[in-house]
Amino acid sequence: DGFGYWPYDRIRLVSNFIASFPNYKSQYADASIYNSLLGEAHFLRAYFYFGLAKRYGGVPLVTEVQNVLGNKDSLNVSRATEYDTWKLIHDDLQFAIDNMKPSTESGRANKYVAAALMSRTMLYAGSIAKYTDYLGFKADQLAAQQGFAGIDPSKANEFFQYSYDAGKIVEQGPYSLYTKNYPDKALNFANVFLDPTSPENIFVKYFDKTSPGGTGLKHSYDALMSPNPDMASDVGSESYPSLDFMRMFDFPAITDVDGKPIRFANRADIKTNMEPRLRGSAYFDGDVLRGKTFSIQRGIYNSFPGLATEAQNGSNAAPINVNTNRFLGNKGQTDGGILITGAHGQFESSGGENNPLTGAFVRKYVNPNMVTADVRLNNSGQHWVVFRLGEIYLNMAEASYELGKKTEAFDYIEKIRVRAGCLVTRPADDLTDLSQKYGYPIDGNLQFIRDERYRELWGENHRWWDLRRWRTVDRVLNQYIPRALECYYDRANGKYIFLDESVKNNETWSASKASNYEPIPQGEINKNTNLLPQNPLR
């Protein structure tokens, strides 16, 4: 679930199982099966509370099944502190780790899955403890003053240690980074998310288009990420990687030392010397999907002799962009036999769908083996990787560095970067003070570890939550305009240039300090005023 998440109905089901299951212990000749099932219930409850804690901070801790016919006041449970909420998650997961089997049927949790969730949740809690006070909420926000939003910074290392210890448990499991497609590291990274037999998978959510009974075990990912009609038969692409993100990787220069655009013989040459992991995450011009080749071009310049900055972010008012020098067109349009705009973008008079507003398409999780006619809403069945070893290595790197284990932190980063095919696999020690950027002490090493997490886990439902737990969301998303990689044909010399421009319509993204906590749902407050005080700035 998304905004307004409040799964106490499901928590009640799990708590009822935990309370009732001991009555059936005698039915299990093998005590380890009984213990593992009970541990799995604790894992599930921790998962629900994690969804609550990462949104709201402290929430009511209801671990016993309430009598709905009992005293009304007893049903109106007050919020616990944020510290106690994360501690309940820890305790449930510790019980799960101690009791669950090391292996189960695919798609079910086991000891290592519980440890993976512990690794993630406790890392969240550690950063929340360490950095929340820098938001200044305690000065005038009751929820912060009473411990419902924020944790005493002295508790940070307690949680970082829990995360670190859990990661060590995962490392004892039967997992390894995916390398089946070496030496093609781009294809290899793409297949990390498509191969259900990957040894990197710790916990996977499966879908099955043929499931009986109309259970709907399918999704629409391909139809929402692939251009229509060449690679999809319904909807079309609606999400794209920004140039800012592309430049987080090893990315080719598009201007020379003087600031003039570099000339490329072919559009696809932009991929030369591009980090394989980026190529495994996004489709660029010249890539092939479902039998069709991506053609991504913005327009034509009669000539572009000057600096790239003269394009003024693509503004129509820039002197170099007057209609007699720059030509923009629509899908597949040509001028004198020369392509103006590619079949797959970037079109002049089209909205977001099928038009790569940033110059590339999403590749991560896209299934290339589907027939185009089948790429439509509710017809995709590839699995979703909930936990994988790559994330655990990144969790370990961050927790290690926060605990003062710099060498070990970089050891984990190196594992990730070697698999990614990076030019530099182990970063140099960087003690640059970045406190002005974020408003709290942070050096270049920790920034690199955070950036590596962005590169590796992009598109996997981590970035928003990471910015929130680091308490940087309002600084990173502050009048942020995504950048676009725009390709033009330079008619004067018969070569292609790439310009860094603002995305179409200059869309701006901002988040405030209030974004660090979602508001407790008003409908729940209307039923139970003990949920007050409301979260900061809400």
Side-chain angles (χ1 to χ4, degrees):
D1 295 339
F3 195 80
Y5 184 74
W6 203 254
Y8 281 95
D9 53 343
R10 282 160 279 172
I11 290 173
R12 178 183 176 87
L13 291 174
V14 176
S15 294
N16 184 57
F17 178 91
I18 292 172
S20 304
F21 195 47
N23 297 329
Y24 301 88
K25 186 174 184 178
S26 61
Q27 304 294 319
Y28 291 86
D30 185 344
S32 67
I33 296 177
Y34 168 86
N35 291 336
S36 192
L37 288 168
L38 192 58
E40 187 175 4
H42 282 269
F43 163 83
L44 290 169
R45 187 166 68 184
Y47 215 130
F48 288 128
Y49 271 110
F50 173 45
L52 288 162
K54 71 180 182 178
R55 288 170 171 84
Y56 310 115
V59 294
L61 303 183
V62 185
T63 57
E64 296 182 358
V65 180
Q66 295 175 302
N67 178 5
V68 296
L69 299 179
N71 181 273
K72 182 178 179 180
D73 290 339
S74 69
L75 300 178
N76 291 334
V77 182
S78 299
R79 296 174 71 179
T81 65
E82 184 161 9
Y83 174 83
D84 287 340
T85 301
W86 290 103
K87 276 291 286 183
L88 172 67
I89 294 168
H90 168 271
D91 294 347
D92 267 347
L93 290 174
Q94 190 62 58
F95 184 95
I97 292 169
D98 293 342
N99 286 276
M100 295 183 76
K101 287 178 173 291
S103 63
T104 55
E105 62 187 282
S106 187
R108 290 282 290 276
N110 59 38
K111 170 183 177 177
Y112 297 116
V113 175
L117 182 57
M118 180 83 90
S119 168
R120 183 188 294 179
T121 57
M122 297 299 102
L123 184 65
Y124 276 47
S127 354
I128 289 166
K130 185 168 183 177
Y131 300 111
T132 299
D133 273 6
Y134 291 102
L135 295 174
F137 284 158
K138 283 191 175 178
D140 58 0
Q141 301 292 320
L142 288 177
Q145 293 170 6
Q146 296 178 24
F148 303 134
I151 303 171
D152 190 312
S154 67
K155 303 295 185 182
N157 282 2
E158 173 188 348
F159 289 113
F160 287 135
Q161 190 67 50
Y162 291 149
S163 177
Y164 177 89
D165 293 343
K168 289 296 185 183
I169 294 173
V170 175
E171 287 189 278
Q172 298 168 12
Y175 312 106
S176 60
L177 292 179
Y178 188 84
T179 58
K180 287 185 182 181
N181 300 117
Y182 275 18
D184 189 339
K185 292 192 173 183
L187 177 64
N188 184 78
F189 192 71
N191 283 344
V192 167
F193 310 96
L194 297 174
D195 186 350
T197 68
S198 168
E200 187 166 341
N201 291 345
I202 299 171
F203 190 43
V204 170
K205 178 178 181 177
Y206 289 102
F207 294 83
D208 182 1
K209 294 190 295 180
T210 64
S211 59
T215 50
L217 295 176
K218 51 196 175 182
H219 55 84
S220 304
Y221 192 82
D222 292 280
L224 299 176
M225 294 297 166
S226 308
N228 179 351
D230 285 345
M231 288 89 162
S233 62
D234 193 7
V235 188
S237 183
E238 295 191 333
S239 183
Y240 314 98
S242 68
L243 178 57
D244 321 61
F245 169 70
M246 300 176 202
R247 282 180 159 159
M248 298 286 289
F249 298 81
D250 297 332
F251 193 77
I254 59 176
T255 57
D256 61 20
V257 292
D258 297 320
K260 293 184 176 182
I262 293 174
R263 267 62 185 178
F264 295 82
N266 300 288
R267 294 190 304 263
D269 290 347
I270 190 68
K271 295 179 292 186
T272 304
N273 299 322
M274 186 183 289
E275 185 177 311
R277 179 171 48 175
L278 175 56
R279 292 194 59 191
S281 299
Y283 282 117
F284 294 88
D285 184 273
D287 288 335
V288 177
L289 174 62
R290 305 185 185 111
K292 294 286 188 177
T293 302
F294 283 99
S295 173
I296 305 173
Q297 182 173 316
R298 172 70 167 142
I300 294 176
Y301 276 100
N302 279 335
S303 66
F304 199 110
L307 302 177
T309 54
E310 292 177 26
Q312 296 180 14
N313 293 318
S315 169
N316 291 329
I320 201 168
N321 290 341
V322 295
N323 290 335
T324 55
N325 189 50
R326 185 180 72 160
F327 296 87
L328 306 178
N330 290 313
K331 183 176 181 179
Q333 189 174 343
T334 61
D335 178 59
I338 298 176
L339 181 70
I340 299 176
T341 305
H344 310 112
Q346 294 107 324
F347 319 143
E348 176 61 11
S349 61
S350 176
E353 293 178 3
N354 309 305
N355 193 3
L357 302 181
T358 61
F361 288 88
V362 174
R363 181 177 183 181
K364 184 179 279 192
Y365 273 113
V366 169
N367 181 2
N369 297 320
M370 294 182 73
V371 177
T372 298
D374 291 338
V375 181
R376 55 186 188 273
L377 292 177
N378 300 313
N379 207 42
S380 290
Q382 62 266 47
H383 60 281
W384 172 259
V385 183
V386 182
F387 296 112
R388 62 182 179 93
L389 187 61
E391 181 206 339
I392 303 306
Y393 282 166
L394 289 164
N395 295 348
M396 289 294 286
E398 188 176 339
S400 296
Y401 198 80
E402 292 283 17
L403 291 168
K405 303 174 188 287
K406 181 187 297 185
T407 299
E408 189 171 359
F410 280 179
D411 288 344
Y412 286 109
I413 292 296
E414 186 171 20
K415 292 176 189 287
I416 292 292
R417 291 180 65 79
V418 167
R419 195 269 295 278
C422 300
L423 295 177
V424 175
T425 57
R426 192 177 186 90
D429 192 13
D430 182 2
L431 298 177
T432 303
D433 181 5
L434 300 175
S435 58
Q436 291 298 314
K437 183 176 182 180
Y438 295 124
Y440 57 67
I442 175 176
D443 62 23
N445 292 323
L446 185 54
Q447 182 64 57
F448 190 95
I449 290 169
R450 292 179 177 184
D451 288 346
E452 192 64 32
R453 186 176 181 89
Y454 186 23
R455 287 183 280 265
E456 177 75 11
L457 301 178
W458 174 78
E460 298 179 52
N461 196 27
H462 290 277
R463 182 63 171 171
W464 173 250
W465 303 109
D466 284 341
L467 293 177
R468 284 178 52 160
R469 69 180 175 87
W470 294 328
R471 302 320 195 199
T472 62
V473 65
D474 60 304
R475 290 176 178 258
V476 173
L477 298 179
N478 181 12
Q479 298 296 305
Y480 165 62
I481 301 176
R483 309 302 300 172
L485 180 68
E486 304 282 18
C487 180
Y488 294 90
Y489 180 71
D490 185 347
R491 204 191 307 254
N493 52 38
K495 298 291 180 66
Y496 295 90
I497 63 173
F498 290 86
L499 298 178
D500 174 350
E501 298 183 359
S502 302
V503 292
K504 203 170 182 179
N505 302 325
N506 287 319
E507 291 180 294
T508 300
W509 300 81
S510 292
S512 66
K513 281 188 179 182
S515 301
N516 288 287
Y517 288 98
E518 288 181 24
I520 299 293
Q522 187 59 49
E524 301 303 326
I525 293 175
N526 292 343
K527 292 183 285 187
N528 175 15
T529 56
N530 289 340
L531 295 174
L532 295 172
Q534 182 58 281
N535 277 334
L537 307 180
R538 294 293 185 173

